[in-house]
Amino acid sequence: MRVAAILCVLLLAAAVGCTSKETRIAEQRTAADAFFEEKEWSEAKIAYMNLLQIAPNDAEAHYKMAETLWAMQEYGEALWQYKEASRLAPENTEWRMRLTQVLFAARDYDTALEQVSAVLEKDAQNIDALLLRGALKSVKGDIDGLLEDVEASLAINPDHPDSLALKAQALGRKGDIAGAEEALRKLVAVKPTASNHLSVARFLAIIGKNDEALVELNAAIAAAEKPEERTQARLFLTNFYINQGQNDKAEEVLLEARADAPDDASVLLTLARFYYAVDKGEQAEAMLEESVKMQPDSAEPLLVLADYHRRAGNVAQAIADVDRAIAVEPKSEAARLRRAELIVDQKGEEATPTEESWTIVREVLKDNPRSLLGLFTEGKFYLLDKKYAEAATSLRRVIDEQPSAAAHVLLGTAYLAQKQNDLARSEFLQALQVDAQYTPARSQLSALYLGAGEDENAAREAKLVLDQSPKDLRIRLILAEALTRLKRIHEAREVLRPIEVTEAMPAPMRLKIAQLYRRTRDTKAAAPILQALLKENPTDPAAMGELIQADLDERNHEAALVKIDAFLEEQPDNVPLYEMRAKVRLASPGGDKPESIELALADLNTSIEKDPKRVETVVTLGKLYRTMWQRDGSHLDDSINAYKKARELDPQNALIALELAALTEQAGRYPEAIENYETVLRLDQDQAGAKNNLAWLLADNANASPADLDRALQLAQDAKNAMPNDPSVADTLGWVMYKKGIPSAAIALFRESIDGYPEGHPLRGTVRYHLAAAYEKNGERDRAVQELKRALDEDSNFNEREAAEKLLKELQAG
């Protein structure tokens, strides 16, 4: 017995000891859960990894591992862990709901919809699930579906506040103003909080019911339970009066707010800004100085005074105010960091942090490494220095300790700069959860939506910002752009009309305004702006292009060519004009005729001769050669060579690299295509199409190594997550599964792909061949024969017909 025990110690102590598996699991769980409770995420991750090695089917461990990874912002792996937890414990509604929320954040709306629908199949009375399903329908554009789920939740609980609020939003989006108002009024009747009264007031103000809005604003003040709520309502009431031109009443409300919250810096600053706006600058400054005298031993009033001078554009005076604050409180983090920011401010809008400003931040963090204000300023400065990863690290530490709308927006901006748009979107949305009125978040979100082509969302967010900041020209242009894309031309014109175009505006902004006028068919408004731009810069190709495009909008190609010829006669060395003429020739009636193509080629070659480094012209030449190849099979090598030249000129352009990759793949130059797709993903890791194509090339190689297939699997899964409904992506992932020897998984994907293609699509035959190959490898020979016959019957000329015929003969021969 003793010998056995000694042997156990000697042989197993270094690995698992002599304890039972159940004991080891319990010990590891206790350690992991302790780290989890303390939010020591790195340690928790390691501990749960160890636990899952012992107990790979432990659902709770998978769930807590998911929560840990989510906190560490390792979102992809977290999602997999959430899925595993729900797979192992399908009855756990809470976990399934959490998985749905994560899928929602990851924009995998279809899978999220499946998950929440599964919850509702088991519990049709789950209001949270109904509202989440409604929100998922909403992002897919199904507002009626959203309303259906909201009504179902209200049938369960007619007084459910979140359901009423969501109903009001949905009806507002449908243009049912009366219905939205009714829902909001019921909301405030059910839950008469200050915030709900404010929601009603905002809505009534927007639709022009100012008298009723005023009643709700006063009700919000009366309903406020906390001083902060009362202050917020009063500040909104102040803005309401200012918008009505009732400055006396606005002042009265601000003074009431100050009396109620004498130490609230935002009230004091708002009152000072008000006095400044109504030409009572001396009174504003005197009031702030009075506050300083009342608190001679405090830096805070001086910092408010500094903010006032900063907003008034007097940065030098603001620095002097901060220096006074530092003299009062030499160790004040807020005063020292404010000085660091002001040093940067005085250098102008494009300034980056100076060594002096960085020294202040480093000293603050040396004194207090956990200073949230110091970390926030550090994150902001890293952002200005374009050190985006470092900025994200600092700002995440701030948010972990004390979430703020400003920190979320800065972190989102850092993600945007790194082209991590989904993470940026999440941060901007979280900023609005912290502070629904934080306009910088809505401003960034509207621009992000616009860039993603989500024009309805962009218009909604920009409209909300513009209601609060009607002088914000950037937002006005975003709203006009979104409305123009949505073909809401009259509304777009109304948004543009208040803009006063002056010579002081940057030329690109004036050009954008002219372009929007032109696109809304208001050429009379566009023409003088463009003519003024050409007067300032007679060789401006963009302004010329807009004038020419106005003719093309009217399908008057001849007039456009006449304009270009006239410009070229005056400016024979204006290179972009030759490229412009080539494009117009090709777009004109008869542009596909040999003589038109020759003239276009001549113009493009002239442009390249005059400016060999102009990448736009080289790309246009590549596109023309590609069109010729698609039409008659000629000039594929010419197209590839043009894109290679463009790549040399602009090596950081992912779209050029993608075109080159696709062309080399179509030419059968697969090793070159693989290298080009890898280049695309180095430049832009979110290019799902490149991931799909690269996965196919890696897996379809007869000499693919296990490492190649593993990489292909990861790429194909990423592409499937990004494009869940694309049948070609399902086919690629299925083919990778087939090559990895997992035919059962491949079969389901090939079926999905076939269902995704319409009848008669040329790729259906190829995918049926793939499905047959998977059936054969899975031992289902009869099904393989059936699919091969279907493929050959459906399409007489698909790419892999010869291989399909060969496999069919082999199977029939037994």
Side-chain angles (χ1 to χ4, degrees), residues 773-800:
Y775 275 136
E776 189 271 336
K777 183 171 279 192
N778 205 43
E780 300 178 70
R781 296 169 64 89
D782 291 343
R783 287 190 170 183
V785 168
Q786 184 181 25
E787 287 302 326
L788 288 167
K789 288 180 177 178
R790 283 182 180 174
L792 296 170
D793 289 344
E794 275 186 9
D795 192 340
S796 60
N797 195 31
F798 63 92
N799 285 344
E800 302 199 50

PDB file of all heavy atoms in Angstrom, residues 773-800:
ATOM      1  N   ALA A 773     -20.081  14.045 -54.439  1.00  0.00           N
ATOM      2  CA  ALA A 773     -18.779  13.596 -53.944  1.00  0.00           C
ATOM      3  C   ALA A 773     -18.815  13.409 -52.427  1.00  0.00           C
ATOM      4  O   ALA A 773     -18.220  12.461 -51.890  1.00  0.00           O
ATOM      5  CB  ALA A 773     -17.706  14.600 -54.344  1.00  0.00           C
ATOM      6  N   ALA A 774     -19.511  14.311 -51.731  1.00  0.00           N
ATOM      7  CA  ALA A 774     -19.614  14.206 -50.270  1.00  0.00           C
ATOM      8  C   ALA A 774     -20.445  12.980 -49.877  1.00  0.00           C
ATOM      9  O   ALA A 774     -20.098  12.257 -48.932  1.00  0.00           O
ATOM     10  CB  ALA A 774     -20.234  15.471 -49.697  1.00  0.00           C
ATOM     11  N   TYR A 775     -21.556  12.740 -50.606  1.00  0.00           N
ATOM     12  CA  TYR A 775     -22.363  11.540 -50.331  1.00  0.00           C
ATOM     13  C   TYR A 775     -21.511  10.278 -50.519  1.00  0.00           C
ATOM     14  O   TYR A 775     -21.564   9.340 -49.718  1.00  0.00           O
ATOM     15  CB  TYR A 775     -23.571  11.483 -51.262  1.00  0.00           C
ATOM     16  CG  TYR A 775     -24.767  12.279 -50.782  1.00  0.00           C
ATOM     17  CD1 TYR A 775     -25.489  13.082 -51.662  1.00  0.00           C
ATOM     18  CD2 TYR A 775     -25.201  12.206 -49.456  1.00  0.00           C
ATOM     19  CE1 TYR A 775     -26.599  13.804 -51.240  1.00  0.00           C
ATOM     20  CE2 TYR A 775     -26.306  12.919 -49.018  1.00  0.00           C
ATOM     21  CZ  TYR A 775     -27.002  13.716 -49.918  1.00  0.00           C
ATOM     22  OH  TYR A 775     -28.093  14.428 -49.494  1.00  0.00           O
ATOM     23  N   GLU A 776     -20.726  10.256 -51.607  1.00  0.00           N
ATOM     24  CA  GLU A 776     -19.899   9.080 -51.896  1.00  0.00           C
ATOM     25  C   GLU A 776     -18.894   8.838 -50.769  1.00  0.00           C
ATOM     26  O   GLU A 776     -18.719   7.723 -50.296  1.00  0.00           O
ATOM     27  CB  GLU A 776     -19.191   9.294 -53.237  1.00  0.00           C
ATOM     28  CG  GLU A 776     -18.478   8.056 -53.761  1.00  0.00           C
ATOM     29  CD  GLU A 776     -17.039   7.943 -53.262  1.00  0.00           C
ATOM     30  OE1 GLU A 776     -16.462   8.981 -52.911  1.00  0.00           O
ATOM     31  OE2 GLU A 776     -16.516   6.812 -53.198  1.00  0.00           O
ATOM     32  N   LYS A 777     -18.247   9.922 -50.314  1.00  0.00           N
ATOM     33  CA  LYS A 777     -17.259   9.786 -49.231  1.00  0.00           C
ATOM     34  C   LYS A 777     -17.941   9.390 -47.931  1.00  0.00           C
ATOM     35  O   LYS A 777     -17.325   8.741 -47.071  1.00  0.00           O
ATOM     36  CB  LYS A 777     -16.485  11.098 -49.052  1.00  0.00           C
ATOM     37  CG  LYS A 777     -15.396  11.011 -47.991  1.00  0.00           C
ATOM     38  CD  LYS A 777     -14.496  12.233 -47.972  1.00  0.00           C
ATOM     39  CE  LYS A 777     -13.444  12.158 -49.052  1.00  0.00           C
ATOM     40  NZ  LYS A 777     -12.370  13.181 -48.889  1.00  0.00           N
ATOM     41  N   ASN A 778     -19.226   9.751 -47.766  1.00  0.00           N
ATOM     42  CA  ASN A 778     -19.968   9.425 -46.539  1.00  0.00           C
ATOM     43  C   ASN A 778     -20.593   8.033 -46.613  1.00  0.00           C
ATOM     44  O   ASN A 778     -21.339   7.643 -45.713  1.00  0.00           O
ATOM     45  CB  ASN A 778     -21.068  10.477 -46.320  1.00  0.00           C
ATOM     46  CG  ASN A 778     -21.468  10.609 -44.864  1.00  0.00           C
ATOM     47  OD1 ASN A 778     -20.607  10.619 -43.982  1.00  0.00           O
ATOM     48  ND2 ASN A 778     -22.768  10.706 -44.610  1.00  0.00           N
ATOM     49  N   GLY A 779     -20.330   7.316 -47.717  1.00  0.00           N
ATOM     50  CA  GLY A 779     -20.854   5.963 -47.870  1.00  0.00           C
ATOM     51  C   GLY A 779     -22.272   5.889 -48.381  1.00  0.00           C
ATOM     52  O   GLY A 779     -22.895   4.818 -48.337  1.00  0.00           O
ATOM     53  N   GLU A 780     -22.814   6.986 -48.886  1.00  0.00           N
ATOM     54  CA  GLU A 780     -24.199   7.007 -49.395  1.00  0.00           C
ATOM     55  C   GLU A 780     -24.159   7.023 -50.920  1.00  0.00           C
ATOM     56  O   GLU A 780     -24.446   8.012 -51.581  1.00  0.00           O
ATOM     57  CB  GLU A 780     -24.925   8.240 -48.849  1.00  0.00           C
ATOM     58  CG  GLU A 780     -24.987   8.280 -47.332  1.00  0.00           C
ATOM     59  CD  GLU A 780     -25.667   9.524 -46.796  1.00  0.00           C
ATOM     60  OE1 GLU A 780     -26.896   9.654 -46.961  1.00  0.00           O
ATOM     61  OE2 GLU A 780     -24.959  10.381 -46.229  1.00  0.00           O
ATOM     62  N   ARG A 781     -23.827   5.880 -51.508  1.00  0.00           N
ATOM     63  CA  ARG A 781     -23.598   5.793 -52.956  1.00  0.00           C
ATOM     64  C   ARG A 781     -24.870   6.078 -53.754  1.00  0.00           C
ATOM     65  O   ARG A 781     -24.827   6.732 -54.813  1.00  0.00           O
ATOM     66  CB  ARG A 781     -23.034   4.427 -53.316  1.00  0.00           C
ATOM     67  CG  ARG A 781     -21.660   4.159 -52.703  1.00  0.00           C
ATOM     68  CD  ARG A 781     -21.252   2.694 -52.857  1.00  0.00           C
ATOM     69  NE  ARG A 781     -21.091   2.329 -54.244  1.00  0.00           N
ATOM     70  CZ  ARG A 781     -19.941   2.444 -54.927  1.00  0.00           C
ATOM     71  NH1 ARG A 781     -18.863   2.910 -54.320  1.00  0.00           N
ATOM     72  NH2 ARG A 781     -19.852   2.062 -56.188  1.00  0.00           N
ATOM     73  N   ASP A 782     -26.030   5.567 -53.288  1.00  0.00           N
ATOM     74  CA  ASP A 782     -27.275   5.775 -54.036  1.00  0.00           C
ATOM     75  C   ASP A 782     -27.607   7.266 -54.138  1.00  0.00           C
ATOM     76  O   ASP A 782     -28.024   7.758 -55.197  1.00  0.00           O
ATOM     77  CB  ASP A 782     -28.429   5.032 -53.364  1.00  0.00           C
ATOM     78  CG  ASP A 782     -28.272   3.517 -53.492  1.00  0.00           C
ATOM     79  OD1 ASP A 782     -27.478   3.089 -54.352  1.00  0.00           O
ATOM     80  OD2 ASP A 782     -28.935   2.786 -52.731  1.00  0.00           O
ATOM     81  N   ARG A 783     -27.431   7.980 -53.044  1.00  0.00           N
ATOM     82  CA  ARG A 783     -27.691   9.424 -53.069  1.00  0.00           C
ATOM     83  C   ARG A 783     -26.692  10.142 -53.964  1.00  0.00           C
ATOM     84  O   ARG A 783     -27.035  11.118 -54.637  1.00  0.00           O
ATOM     85  CB  ARG A 783     -27.629   9.995 -51.660  1.00  0.00           C
ATOM     86  CG  ARG A 783     -28.829   9.610 -50.806  1.00  0.00           C
ATOM     87  CD  ARG A 783     -28.843  10.388 -49.507  1.00  0.00           C
ATOM     88  NE  ARG A 783     -30.085  10.206 -48.784  1.00  0.00           N
ATOM     89  CZ  ARG A 783     -30.392  10.820 -47.640  1.00  0.00           C
ATOM     90  NH1 ARG A 783     -29.526  11.672 -47.106  1.00  0.00           N
ATOM     91  NH2 ARG A 783     -31.544  10.595 -47.040  1.00  0.00           N
ATOM     92  N   ALA A 784     -25.455   9.674 -53.964  1.00  0.00           N
ATOM     93  CA  ALA A 784     -24.444  10.287 -54.826  1.00  0.00           C
ATOM     94  C   ALA A 784     -24.842  10.134 -56.287  1.00  0.00           C
ATOM     95  O   ALA A 784     -24.771  11.099 -57.072  1.00  0.00           O
ATOM     96  CB  ALA A 784     -23.091   9.643 -54.577  1.00  0.00           C
ATOM     97  N   VAL A 785     -25.279   8.932 -56.666  1.00  0.00           N
ATOM     98  CA  VAL A 785     -25.719   8.696 -58.055  1.00  0.00           C
ATOM     99  C   VAL A 785     -26.899   9.604 -58.398  1.00  0.00           C
ATOM    100  O   VAL A 785     -26.955  10.208 -59.486  1.00  0.00           O
ATOM    101  CB  VAL A 785     -26.095   7.203 -58.244  1.00  0.00           C
ATOM    102  CG1 VAL A 785     -26.815   6.996 -59.571  1.00  0.00           C
ATOM    103  CG2 VAL A 785     -24.857   6.323 -58.150  1.00  0.00           C
ATOM    104  N   GLN A 786     -27.844   9.711 -57.474  1.00  0.00           N
ATOM    105  CA  GLN A 786     -29.034  10.553 -57.699  1.00  0.00           C
ATOM    106  C   GLN A 786     -28.638  12.008 -57.958  1.00  0.00           C
ATOM    107  O   GLN A 786     -29.147  12.650 -58.887  1.00  0.00           O
ATOM    108  CB  GLN A 786     -29.952  10.443 -56.485  1.00  0.00           C
ATOM    109  CG  GLN A 786     -31.265  11.182 -56.622  1.00  0.00           C
ATOM    110  CD  GLN A 786     -32.123  11.047 -55.373  1.00  0.00           C
ATOM    111  OE1 GLN A 786     -31.623  10.815 -54.275  1.00  0.00           O
ATOM    112  NE2 GLN A 786     -33.426  11.197 -55.533  1.00  0.00           N
ATOM    113  N   GLU A 787     -27.718  12.537 -57.160  1.00  0.00           N
ATOM    114  CA  GLU A 787     -27.311  13.937 -57.319  1.00  0.00           C
ATOM    115  C   GLU A 787     -26.528  14.144 -58.615  1.00  0.00           C
ATOM    116  O   GLU A 787     -26.671  15.184 -59.273  1.00  0.00           O
ATOM    117  CB  GLU A 787     -26.469  14.391 -56.122  1.00  0.00           C
ATOM    118  CG  GLU A 787     -27.252  14.605 -54.850  1.00  0.00           C
ATOM    119  CD  GLU A 787     -28.367  15.623 -54.989  1.00  0.00           C
ATOM    120  OE1 GLU A 787     -28.202  16.598 -55.753  1.00  0.00           O
ATOM    121  OE2 GLU A 787     -29.411  15.435 -54.345  1.00  0.00           O
ATOM    122  N   LEU A 788     -25.710  13.167 -58.995  1.00  0.00           N
ATOM    123  CA  LEU A 788     -24.951  13.294 -60.242  1.00  0.00           C
ATOM    124  C   LEU A 788     -25.895  13.325 -61.439  1.00  0.00           C
ATOM    125  O   LEU A 788     -25.704  14.112 -62.387  1.00  0.00           O
ATOM    126  CB  LEU A 788     -23.955  12.139 -60.370  1.00  0.00           C
ATOM    127  CG  LEU A 788     -22.745  12.208 -59.421  1.00  0.00           C
ATOM    128  CD1 LEU A 788     -21.996  10.883 -59.400  1.00  0.00           C
ATOM    129  CD2 LEU A 788     -21.803  13.344 -59.823  1.00  0.00           C
ATOM    130  N   LYS A 789     -26.918  12.485 -61.405  1.00  0.00           N
ATOM    131  CA  LYS A 789     -27.902  12.495 -62.507  1.00  0.00           C
ATOM    132  C   LYS A 789     -28.633  13.826 -62.567  1.00  0.00           C
ATOM    133  O   LYS A 789     -28.866  14.381 -63.652  1.00  0.00           O
ATOM    134  CB  LYS A 789     -28.897  11.345 -62.320  1.00  0.00           C
ATOM    135  CG  LYS A 789     -28.298   9.970 -62.591  1.00  0.00           C
ATOM    136  CD  LYS A 789     -29.344   8.874 -62.390  1.00  0.00           C
ATOM    137  CE  LYS A 789     -28.779   7.508 -62.732  1.00  0.00           C
ATOM    138  NZ  LYS A 789     -29.767   6.414 -62.503  1.00  0.00           N
ATOM    139  N   ARG A 790     -28.993  14.355 -61.407  1.00  0.00           N
ATOM    140  CA  ARG A 790     -29.665  15.658 -61.377  1.00  0.00           C
ATOM    141  C   ARG A 790     -28.760  16.744 -61.962  1.00  0.00           C
ATOM    142  O   ARG A 790     -29.203  17.601 -62.719  1.00  0.00           O
ATOM    143  CB  ARG A 790     -30.028  16.031 -59.937  1.00  0.00           C
ATOM    144  CG  ARG A 790     -31.230  15.312 -59.386  1.00  0.00           C
ATOM    145  CD  ARG A 790     -31.512  15.797 -57.974  1.00  0.00           C
ATOM    146  NE  ARG A 790     -32.655  15.147 -57.380  1.00  0.00           N
ATOM    147  CZ  ARG A 790     -33.041  15.311 -56.122  1.00  0.00           C
ATOM    148  NH1 ARG A 790     -32.341  16.119 -55.329  1.00  0.00           N
ATOM    149  NH2 ARG A 790     -34.100  14.689 -55.647  1.00  0.00           N
ATOM    150  N   ALA A 791     -27.502  16.697 -61.586  1.00  0.00           N
ATOM    151  CA  ALA A 791     -26.560  17.710 -62.076  1.00  0.00           C
ATOM    152  C   ALA A 791     -26.447  17.650 -63.589  1.00  0.00           C
ATOM    153  O   ALA A 791     -26.500  18.682 -64.281  1.00  0.00           O
ATOM    154  CB  ALA A 791     -25.191  17.491 -61.434  1.00  0.00           C
ATOM    155  N   LEU A 792     -26.319  16.453 -64.132  1.00  0.00           N
ATOM    156  CA  LEU A 792     -26.147  16.302 -65.582  1.00  0.00           C
ATOM    157  C   LEU A 792     -27.427  16.650 -66.331  1.00  0.00           C
ATOM    158  O   LEU A 792     -27.378  17.161 -67.457  1.00  0.00           O
ATOM    159  CB  LEU A 792     -25.707  14.873 -65.892  1.00  0.00           C
ATOM    160  CG  LEU A 792     -24.334  14.486 -65.314  1.00  0.00           C
ATOM    161  CD1 LEU A 792     -24.073  12.997 -65.458  1.00  0.00           C
ATOM    162  CD2 LEU A 792     -23.229  15.284 -65.991  1.00  0.00           C
ATOM    163  N   ASP A 793     -28.593  16.398 -65.712  1.00  0.00           N
ATOM    164  CA  ASP A 793     -29.871  16.746 -66.350  1.00  0.00           C
ATOM    165  C   ASP A 793     -30.129  18.247 -66.321  1.00  0.00           C
ATOM    166  O   ASP A 793     -30.685  18.815 -67.257  1.00  0.00           O
ATOM    167  CB  ASP A 793     -31.023  16.012 -65.653  1.00  0.00           C
ATOM    168  CG  ASP A 793     -31.010  14.519 -65.954  1.00  0.00           C
ATOM    169  OD1 ASP A 793     -30.324  14.122 -66.919  1.00  0.00           O
ATOM    170  OD2 ASP A 793     -31.648  13.766 -65.191  1.00  0.00           O
ATOM    171  N   GLU A 794     -29.754  18.888 -65.202  1.00  0.00           N
ATOM    172  CA  GLU A 794     -30.040  20.321 -65.020  1.00  0.00           C
ATOM    173  C   GLU A 794     -29.217  21.205 -65.940  1.00  0.00           C
ATOM    174  O   GLU A 794     -29.676  22.239 -66.415  1.00  0.00           O
ATOM    175  CB  GLU A 794     -29.755  20.742 -63.561  1.00  0.00           C
ATOM    176  CG  GLU A 794     -30.916  20.496 -62.620  1.00  0.00           C
ATOM    177  CD  GLU A 794     -30.639  21.067 -61.230  1.00  0.00           C
ATOM    178  OE1 GLU A 794     -29.635  21.782 -61.074  1.00  0.00           O
ATOM    179  OE2 GLU A 794     -31.430  20.798 -60.319  1.00  0.00           O
ATOM    180  N   ASP A 795     -27.954  20.823 -66.166  1.00  0.00           N
ATOM    181  CA  ASP A 795     -27.037  21.728 -66.870  1.00  0.00           C
ATOM    182  C   ASP A 795     -26.142  20.903 -67.783  1.00  0.00           C
ATOM    183  O   ASP A 795     -25.424  20.003 -67.337  1.00  0.00           O
ATOM    184  CB  ASP A 795     -26.179  22.484 -65.845  1.00  0.00           C
ATOM    185  CG  ASP A 795     -25.423  23.638 -66.476  1.00  0.00           C
ATOM    186  OD1 ASP A 795     -25.260  23.632 -67.706  1.00  0.00           O
ATOM    187  OD2 ASP A 795     -24.989  24.541 -65.733  1.00  0.00           O
ATOM    188  N   SER A 796     -26.183  21.220 -69.056  1.00  0.00           N
ATOM    189  CA  SER A 796     -25.401  20.442 -70.026  1.00  0.00           C
ATOM    190  C   SER A 796     -23.962  20.929 -70.126  1.00  0.00           C
ATOM    191  O   SER A 796     -23.150  20.319 -70.804  1.00  0.00           O
ATOM    192  CB  SER A 796     -26.070  20.521 -71.403  1.00  0.00           C
ATOM    193  OG  SER A 796     -26.132  21.881 -71.825  1.00  0.00           O
ATOM    194  N   ASN A 797     -23.626  22.033 -69.444  1.00  0.00           N
ATOM    195  CA  ASN A 797     -22.312  22.623 -69.701  1.00  0.00           C
ATOM    196  C   ASN A 797     -21.685  23.249 -68.455  1.00  0.00           C
ATOM    197  O   ASN A 797     -21.034  24.281 -68.538  1.00  0.00           O
ATOM    198  CB  ASN A 797     -22.430  23.684 -70.808  1.00  0.00           C
ATOM    199  CG  ASN A 797     -21.080  24.081 -71.374  1.00  0.00           C
ATOM    200  OD1 ASN A 797     -20.155  23.273 -71.414  1.00  0.00           O
ATOM    201  ND2 ASN A 797     -20.951  25.326 -71.768  1.00  0.00           N
ATOM    202  N   PHE A 798     -21.895  22.653 -67.260  1.00  0.00           N
ATOM    203  CA  PHE A 798     -21.268  23.250 -66.085  1.00  0.00           C
ATOM    204  C   PHE A 798     -19.793  22.856 -66.020  1.00  0.00           C
ATOM    205  O   PHE A 798     -19.358  21.878 -66.644  1.00  0.00           O
ATOM    206  CB  PHE A 798     -22.016  22.884 -64.806  1.00  0.00           C
ATOM    207  CG  PHE A 798     -22.036  21.416 -64.457  1.00  0.00           C
ATOM    208  CD1 PHE A 798     -21.065  20.873 -63.627  1.00  0.00           C
ATOM    209  CD2 PHE A 798     -23.044  20.587 -64.945  1.00  0.00           C
ATOM    210  CE1 PHE A 798     -21.094  19.532 -63.286  1.00  0.00           C
ATOM    211  CE2 PHE A 798     -23.068  19.250 -64.612  1.00  0.00           C
ATOM    212  CZ  PHE A 798     -22.098  18.713 -63.785  1.00  0.00           C
ATOM    213  N   ASN A 799     -19.021  23.605 -65.254  1.00  0.00           N
ATOM    214  CA  ASN A 799     -17.559  23.503 -65.297  1.00  0.00           C
ATOM    215  C   ASN A 799     -17.036  22.103 -65.006  1.00  0.00           C
ATOM    216  O   ASN A 799     -16.063  21.658 -65.612  1.00  0.00           O
ATOM    217  CB  ASN A 799     -16.934  24.486 -64.299  1.00  0.00           C
ATOM    218  CG  ASN A 799     -16.992  25.911 -64.801  1.00  0.00           C
ATOM    219  OD1 ASN A 799     -17.216  26.140 -65.986  1.00  0.00           O
ATOM    220  ND2 ASN A 799     -16.794  26.882 -63.904  1.00  0.00           N
ATOM    221  N   GLU A 800     -17.666  21.407 -64.063  1.00  0.00           N
ATOM    222  CA  GLU A 800     -17.130  20.123 -63.641  1.00  0.00           C
ATOM    223  C   GLU A 800     -17.952  18.958 -64.190  1.00  0.00           C
ATOM    224  O   GLU A 800     -17.988  17.884 -63.594  1.00  0.00           O
ATOM    225  CB  GLU A 800     -17.063  20.077 -62.107  1.00  0.00           C
ATOM    226  CG  GLU A 800     -16.211  21.207 -61.527  1.00  0.00           C
ATOM    227  CD  GLU A 800     -15.744  20.953 -60.121  1.00  0.00           C
ATOM    228  OE1 GLU A 800     -15.202  19.877 -59.858  1.00  0.00           O
ATOM    229  OE2 GLU A 800     -15.940  21.846 -59.289  1.00  0.00           O
TER     230      GLU A 800
END
